[in-house]
Every structure is written in C-alpha cells, then in structure tokens.
Amino acid sequence: MTAAVEAAEVSRLWSHPELGLHAVMDATGAVRLGRPGQDWAGLVPLVEVTATGHGRMWSGERFIETAIGDRLSYLSHETVQDGGRERTTIRLADSTTGLTADVTLEARPGSGFLRARVRLANEGGTALRLESVSTLTLGGIVDVDGGLGDLTLHWADNDWLAECRWRQDAFRNRVVPLSRSAHGHEGRGCFERYSQGSWSTGRHLPVAGLTDSAGRAWLWQIESSAGWRFETGEREGAAYVALFGPDDAHHQWHHTLAPGEEFHTVPAVLVHTESGGLDAAFGELTDYRRSIRRDHPDRLALPVIYNDYMNTLMGDPTTERLLPLIEAAGAAGAEVFVIDAGWYDDDAQGWWDAVGAWEPAARRFPGGLPEVLDAIRAHGMTPGLWLEPEVVGVRSPLAGTLPPEAFFRRGGLRVTEHGRHHLDLRHPAARAHLDEVVDRLVGEWGVGYLKLDYNINIGPGTENGSESPGAGLLGHHRAHLDWMAALLDRHPDLVLENCGSGGLRMDYAQLAVAQLQSTSDQQDLLRYPPIAAAAATAVLPEQAAVWAYPQPDHTLDEIAFTLTGALLGRVHLSGFINLMSEEQAGLVRSAISVYKELRPELGGARPFWPVGLPAWEDAWLAHGLRGQGATFLTVWRRAPGDAGTPDPSADTDRTLTIPHLRGAHVQPTVLYPTTADAAVKWDADAGQLTVSLPRENTAVLLRLSSAVVDPSP
C-alpha cells in the first residue's frame, strides 16, 4: 500500500514514535496495529477472540483470523496522561454478539516499549463462552530487505536446574514458505510456545523475540502466572506476533461472559529497537520491568542474603547447626539470614506431606525458634524464614479443618499432587489462615524476609462451580498477587522472595510485586554459570538471586568461581563457611565487600552479552551490566564438553567485543578474585577486550571505567 493510498483509506488513531507503530482504522471501522506504509492485508486485527460458536475464519493451529476479531469495529478512543505514562484506550464492538473490547495501549514518551491489556464486556443479551483472547497483536514485521529470509527467531527453554536456556533459529526454518500464491490461502501453522499448569515458566520463558542482520529487534513478554501463549507466523509476506494469556486448547481455560459482565486479559509488553540487536532490546525491557515494580526499600538496599539450604543444611536446621552458621555469615558480611525449609518439621514421618500450620519444631529448637531469630539480630542481620504458603500437606490437620471450597478441586474431588493439596486464595478461610501465619511470623517474631516457595505443578487449575480449571487457576493467581500486595501494605519493610523450585514461576506478574526471584536450584557450581549469565533476560539484575555456596573442601578457585557468578545479581550466600580456613574465609569476605561497593550501580544498569546469550555447554561465557559510572563484566571459563573435565589444549584467552565502549579510553580493573591470575587488555579502536584465564573452571569480575565514550555503535 502506498503512502497516498494509505492516507486515503485509513486514518491514524494512535502513534508510538519510538516504536514506529500506529493504530489505524480503515473505512469499515476495522483497527489494526502496524508501521507506516505497510500493506493493510499483512496486519492483524487489534484483538483476536475465539468463542464457542464463533471460531476462526481459516482453521488451523493459529489463534488469529478469528470471526469476532474480523467483526470488531471502532467505536471511540481516548488518551490520558498518568504519572509520565500515556494510556490510549481504543474501544471496539462486535454488532453480532454485543461484545465490546477496550484495548489499552500504554507507553512512556521517549521509551521503546508498548504495554497492552484488553477489557472485554458483554453488552449483548446472550452469554458468550470465551475460549481465547489476545492481549497484543502485531503484523507487518519484515527484515531489513523487506522479506522474511533474514529474520532470526529467539526463545528460551526453561526447566528445573536448567533455567534460561536461550535458543535461536532462522525464522524460515520454523515458518517455511508455502507458495501462498499457488493456493490462495495462508498456512495453517505457526511457531508457538506456551506454559503448562501452574509453573508459568516450567517449560519456557514468556519472553521471545525476532531480530535481523541490521540489528533491529522485536522482543515481547507476557505477564501471567496462570497460563500464557505466544505465536508467530507468516501473513501476506510478513511476520506477525500474537500474545495471549490462557486459552482453552492449551490451558483448559474458557470463561462464560454473561450479559453485563467483563473480563480483563493478562498484560503483555512489546519492545522494538532499530539497532543493537537483542542487547538493546533487553536494555529497553529492563527499563520497562523497573517501571512496573512495586516500590520497596529493598530496591535500593539490596542486602546480602545468607540462606542455610543449598549444599548446606538442605532442610534439616537445628539450633546447634544454625548458631555457628549465623556467626560466620555475620562475620562474612551477610545482612539477612534465612532459615530455609525444615524449621517447622516435628513429624517423625517427615515434613513434605505434613506442612500447612507453619509452627516451629520444638525438637529442633529446644530454646524456641525466637532464640535463633534473636541470635541472627545480635549478629547484625535480619531474620528470614522459608514458607510454601499455597500448599497444605495431605497429613496436615488443616487438610481436614479448612472447608473443601478452600482447596483446588476438579470434578468435585480435591486435587492432590506430590502429597499436597493446593489452597484457593479466593476463599476467605484460605486467605485468613495465611494472614494469621504471616502476621505471627512477621508481627510477633520479627521476621523481615520470607522466601515464598512453590514446589508442585497443580495442573490446569481448579473448578469452582461451573468455571473451567484454567479460569480457576487465573482467579487464584490474581488473588495470590493481591494477597502478596496486602502483606506488603501491612508490613512495608518485609522482603518477599519469589521461588518456584528455583525459576519455574519466574514471570512479571509475580515479579512486579515480589522483591527477589530465585533463579535456580542448581547445586553444581560448574552448571550454574549459563543460568547466572542469562538470568537478566528473565529478571532484573537487582532481583536475580544467584546461589554462591563455597565449601571448606573447595579449592580457592572453586570458592572464587561460585562467588563470582552471583556478584552481578543478588548474592544468595550459603555453604559451611563456619568451617573454612582463614584464607578461604577471606576470599568470601572479599567477594561480599566487592558486592557492597558495586550494588548501587545494579538498579540502573542495563545487561549485555558480549559473546552472545550462553549455551548450556559453552566453555566461555560473559555477562555484563552497563551502568552510569562504569561497565561491569563477569567472564567464566569452564572446561569444555561436560563442563568439568579439564582440557590442557583449550584456549586460555577470549576476545570480547563491547560496542558501547569503542573509541573510549578504558581502564580494566579486576574486582574479584585476585586468585584467578586473570589478565586483561583493551583495544579502544576495535572496542575489544581480551581476557586471559590461564586455568579452566575459573571466573573473573571486571570493572571497565572509561573517560570518553564514542557514541557511535
């Protein structure tokens, strides 16, 4: 479509200059989102809806080209300013069903993100059974040459102990050309990724993107703990992206919208950058994530946390075991001490299927748990406890005393998973129980930190009356977020860590409320680096809790290796540091001291990856943060192959390109450790840093300070 034809046939309702996007309406009232000069046919309706009796116009795997989406037409729009943000709401209506859709597009002037949410309302006379609703759709994406052959697709697999594993492939390898002109139709398939059950990131991250060789990038994120899906495919010679919350086909979600009722989709955000590739796009996404977070003192304090679990007490705490660790953690510089799982375990048959009351175990703490909490405070630290609030063990008395409606049920039966039942926090009895627990721990015992874990995947959800399981799961998770926010309202200094067997519920529905995110349960220090290096793709650096578990039987290289990986995130110190030699303990204290010096930079820094996003078996990995005052860079060198078997012939040097410092007079400084014998050399003209690590399975943290920075890429 030429500019002249476009001007004659469509009118512009909304614009985002930084993204180069416009919401435009044609003569029939159809509204679509796209870029100037694009062929209208390649775009996608602003909202796509499937409902029972109102499916798709072209059957297949794709959730675009829906009958309702095609019928929705413009009613009105308005723009409001709110705290530096601009919100435009475009109202659409389907005359056949009486369904209206309010599409809210939110942006901040000068930023490169677009956040969307959709409100559906039934203004007709007949109930409508929804089966899928898009939050954000965009068509007309092409590469620098105007085609699709140069687009690369990026997505992340996620699993227990193996989080944030980014993959890439040519778009055309995943969405093959089908000779549309010979058939007169688009294909029926697409590239899709989606969640399954109540671990929102148990399979994949709800983040993905497209790039081309010119450095342009499209990156998206869906903010849901209760089901999400994205798809991308080809439409009229261009790529499209459609972002969804839960749907019927993948999450057993359907929602009956009676006349007068409304439904709100989960939020999603789109980022676009014209240069800089994924690094630039993740920089914009990082800024956006900071903008939606709940304000909290932890955002600036970023205290060092010691947690007794990982590779240490492993859920078996006692007063006798804790007191030496508390003293050692305080001496090392920790500011929070968390007693992890097991503090409530007074059951001869074990605690896993008996949890729920969250009372301290008398046999573990002969002088009472408050004695241990007082010891933590006496060593200058805030006491913390582990809690798994959403579950009740099948042997817990609460399983019989709380009403049946307070638990997840399907087919009239209470759901059981791995020895646990699941609370439905929409029920007042479930919420009152947890409020009593937390108000006791925080209000009476003075606990200032709660690690909120979540160790079961409860499946598609719960049926409360006629609702679908997926709708029940969405309702519970919205109540769960409301419960967390209410805790922080009552206890504004309380810090909440979000954990889902590590990083299995690592989404920005949770992370807009919680202060920290556990990145993994990975216990192998040689397997953690690719998780730590890629964590900033999923979570803000200042929220990314990375385990550092040095042990007295470790070599100095091993101690430094596990500590170095946590220094550009949130330090989760563990290990039997009370049994270390003075030399070993000094290496721990040095790492904590370095962290405290650099942490003021974390909350404003953008991540980058000078050797690309890490692969699981990569020998060399690098992750940097570009701050206001300096650039920080962590470089790991692992043994190749099995990430543990030394190879004497392996390269000892790696050259890293750092474009934003090209032309600058950079002074590289080794911050930690001095024991790795690292050497660094800077080439200003090439913008390259050569790092030498003479031994495998070592790592180094560098500061790159520059006097003058050339602004050219």
Side-chain angles (χ1 to χ4, degrees):
M1 179 181 293
T2 66
V5 172
E6 179 188 74
E9 296 185 0
V10 303
S11 58
R12 187 176 301 174
L13 305 177
W14 169 90
S15 297
H16 188 312
E18 286 75 23
L19 289 178
L21 288 179
H22 308 283
V24 292
M25 176 180 66
D26 72 0
T28 70
V31 180
R32 302 186 182 190
L33 196 63
R35 292 164 68 83
Q38 289 180 326
D39 186 346
W40 177 265
L43 305 183
V44 186
L46 190 59
V47 182
E48 295 278 24
V49 180
T50 60
T52 306
H54 306 269
R56 290 162 290 191
M57 300 172 66
W58 178 241
S59 189
E61 301 298 315
R62 314 202 299 187
F63 282 21
I64 64 166
E65 298 167 327
T66 64
I68 292 177
D70 187 64
R71 294 196 304 256
L72 284 169
S73 61
Y74 174 82
L75 284 181
S76 64
H77 74 284
E78 64 174 352
T79 299
V80 297
Q81 305 293 329
D82 181 12
R85 292 197 178 195
E86 181 180 277
R87 291 190 180 94
T88 296
T89 299
I90 301 173
R91 184 159 232 230
L92 310 172
D94 171 24
S95 60
T96 301
T97 61
L99 184 71
T100 62
D102 290 348
V103 185
T104 298
L105 304 175
E106 180 180 315
R108 188 187 296 273
S111 71
F113 75 83
L114 171 65
R115 192 184 201 221
R117 197 165 184 175
V118 177
R119 170 188 169 272
L120 296 182
N122 187 348
E123 298 184 4
T126 305
L128 195 63
R129 187 177 182 270
L130 305 173
E131 296 181 353
S132 71
V133 187
S134 67
T135 292
L136 182 62
T137 60
L138 175 69
I141 300 174
V142 293
D143 61 30
V144 67
D145 296 319
L148 297 175
D150 190 35
L151 285 181
T152 299
L153 179 62
H154 306 264
W155 73 97
D157 294 338
N158 214 59
D159 198 356
W160 185 55
L161 312 181
E163 290 85 350
C164 303
R165 298 186 335 273
W166 279 85
R167 303 181 63 189
Q168 68 177 50
D169 200 359
F171 181 82
R172 274 306 191 201
N173 286 344
R174 299 286 172 161
V175 182
V176 299
L178 299 175
S179 301
R180 182 188 185 282
S181 60
H183 305 93
H185 287 289
E186 297 287 357
R188 300 185 188 272
C190 60
F191 178 88
E192 65 175 359
R193 289 293 182 266
Y194 52 90
S195 65
Q196 184 177 55
S198 59
W199 276 333
S200 60
T201 55
R203 297 161 57 94
H204 310 284
L205 293 182
V207 185
L210 291 166
T211 60
D212 66 17
S213 61
R216 303 189 306 170
W218 299 93
L219 189 65
W220 55 88
Q221 169 181 286
I222 306 172
E223 296 159 19
S224 173
S225 298
W228 57 265
R229 176 182 173 272
F230 69 78
E231 68 175 75
T232 181
E234 182 176 2
R235 179 181 170 90
E236 297 286 349
Y240 74 90
V241 174
L243 311 181
F244 300 84
D247 65 63
D248 193 25
H250 301 86
H251 310 98
Q252 297 185 37
W253 177 91
H254 57 79
H255 183 89
T256 299
L257 203 63
E261 292 183 344
E262 61 183 47
F263 171 76
H264 294 260
T265 67
V266 302
V269 64
L270 176 73
V271 163
H272 174 62
T273 53
E274 283 292 324
S275 62
L278 281 182
D279 281 0
F282 274 115
E284 289 287 344
L285 186 59
T286 297
D287 292 346
Y288 162 76
R289 287 168 172 169
R290 289 184 176 124
S291 75
I292 64 169
R293 286 188 64 196
R294 180 189 176 101
D295 194 22
H296 192 281
D298 182 78
R299 293 185 68 164
L300 295 177
L302 308 186
V304 174
I305 299 148
Y306 183 95
N307 182 300
D308 70 19
Y309 185 84
M310 189 60 70
N311 294 348
T312 310
L313 298 187
M314 299 295 291
D316 195 17
T318 65
T319 299
E320 181 181 12
R321 292 172 181 150
L322 284 167
L323 291 181
L325 290 174
I326 291 168
E327 181 178 3
E335 295 151 306
V336 175
F337 189 102
V338 179
I339 303 172
D340 206 281
W343 59 269
Y344 41 79
D345 178 20
D346 226 355
D347 193 302
Q349 298 181 55
W351 59 264
W352 182 265
D353 59 357
V355 295
W358 308 113
E359 296 282 357
R363 67 181 177 85
R364 292 182 175 276
F365 310 106
L369 182 58
E371 175 190 24
V372 180
L373 302 180
D374 287 343
I376 293 171
R377 282 185 282 267
H379 284 86
M381 296 178 288
T382 297
L385 290 175
W386 180 95
L387 200 64
E388 197 169 359
E390 293 165 84
V391 300
V392 170
V394 296
R395 293 193 300 109
S396 171
L398 286 163
T401 58
L402 287 173
E405 297 81 11
F407 295 95
F408 273 36
R409 296 169 299 156
R410 293 198 290 271
L413 303 175
R414 188 181 299 185
V415 179
T416 303
E417 177 72 9
H418 197 181
R420 275 101 176 274
H421 302 308
H422 197 294
L423 291 173
D424 186 340
L425 286 184
R426 296 173 296 178
H427 195 280
R431 181 154 176 165
H433 157 62
L434 291 185
D435 282 343
E436 183 279 326
V437 168
V438 174
D439 289 345
R440 169 166 42 89
L441 302 184
V442 178
E444 297 179 23
W445 298 359
V447 170
Y449 184 109
L450 289 177
K451 176 179 178 178
L452 303 181
D453 210 342
Y454 186 69
N455 287 304
I456 61 170
N457 187 333
I458 201 61
T462 179
E463 298 167 343
N464 185 14
S466 62
E467 76 177 353
S468 66
L473 183 63
L474 181 59
H476 160 75
H477 276 302
R478 285 174 166 169
H480 178 233
L481 296 174
D482 183 73
W483 174 74
M484 291 170 61
L487 292 186
L488 295 172
D489 289 341
R490 294 200 305 277
H491 307 288
D493 292 325
L494 176 66
V495 174
L496 300 180
E497 175 191 339
N498 185 52
C499 182
S501 279
L504 301 187
R505 195 162 68 173
M506 188 160 48
D507 62 73
Y508 265 87
Q510 298 284 125
L511 289 169
V513 182
Q515 284 66 63
L516 291 91
Q517 170 67 50
S518 177
T519 55
S520 187
D521 281 351
Q522 177 57 250
Q523 293 178 250
D524 185 342
L525 62 88
L526 297 178
R527 288 295 186 189
Y528 216 126
I531 301 170
T537 63
V539 58
L540 289 171
E542 63 268 29
Q543 289 183 287
V546 177
W547 288 102
Y549 29 62
Q551 301 291 357
D553 61 349
H554 282 174
T555 66
L556 294 182
D557 277 350
E558 289 172 327
I559 290 172
F561 189 88
T562 186
L563 287 162
T564 303
L567 296 181
L568 291 185
R570 293 298 296 274
V571 177
H572 258 36
L573 184 63
S574 197
F576 290 104
I577 58 177
N578 58 308
L579 302 178
M580 287 183 164
S581 69
E582 178 54 34
E583 184 179 25
Q584 292 173 319
L587 202 54
V588 176
R589 291 194 300 270
S590 175
I592 301 307
S593 177
V594 166
Y595 179 77
K596 290 180 178 180
E597 290 180 9
L598 68 84
R599 66 184 170 187
E601 294 272 3
L602 295 183
R606 284 181 159 196
F608 68 97
W609 294 269
V611 293
L613 292 173
W616 189 244
E617 301 289 353
D618 281 353
W620 286 88
L621 307 95
H623 165 233
L625 290 179
R626 181 180 178 179
Q628 294 295 322
T631 293
F632 298 91
L633 184 65
T634 301
V635 182
W636 294 263
R637 180 191 171 202
R638 299 189 296 173
D642 196 33
T645 305
D647 180 2
S649 66
D651 292 336
T652 61
D653 297 354
R654 185 64 188 258
T655 298
L656 316 175
T657 300
I658 307 177
H660 73 270
L661 291 177
R662 185 179 292 125
H665 300 289
V666 171
Q667 178 61 49
T669 304
V670 174
L671 294 181
Y672 185 83
T674 58
T675 55
D677 299 323
V680 291
K681 181 181 178 182
W682 174 248
D683 182 337
D685 293 337
Q688 292 183 330
L689 181 75
T690 300
V691 179
S692 175
L693 288 171
R695 297 185 301 281
E696 292 175 330
N697 299 328
T698 55
V700 64
L701 172 65
L702 306 171
R703 176 193 282 122
L704 308 178
S705 302
S706 58
V708 179
V709 178
D710 184 346
S712 62

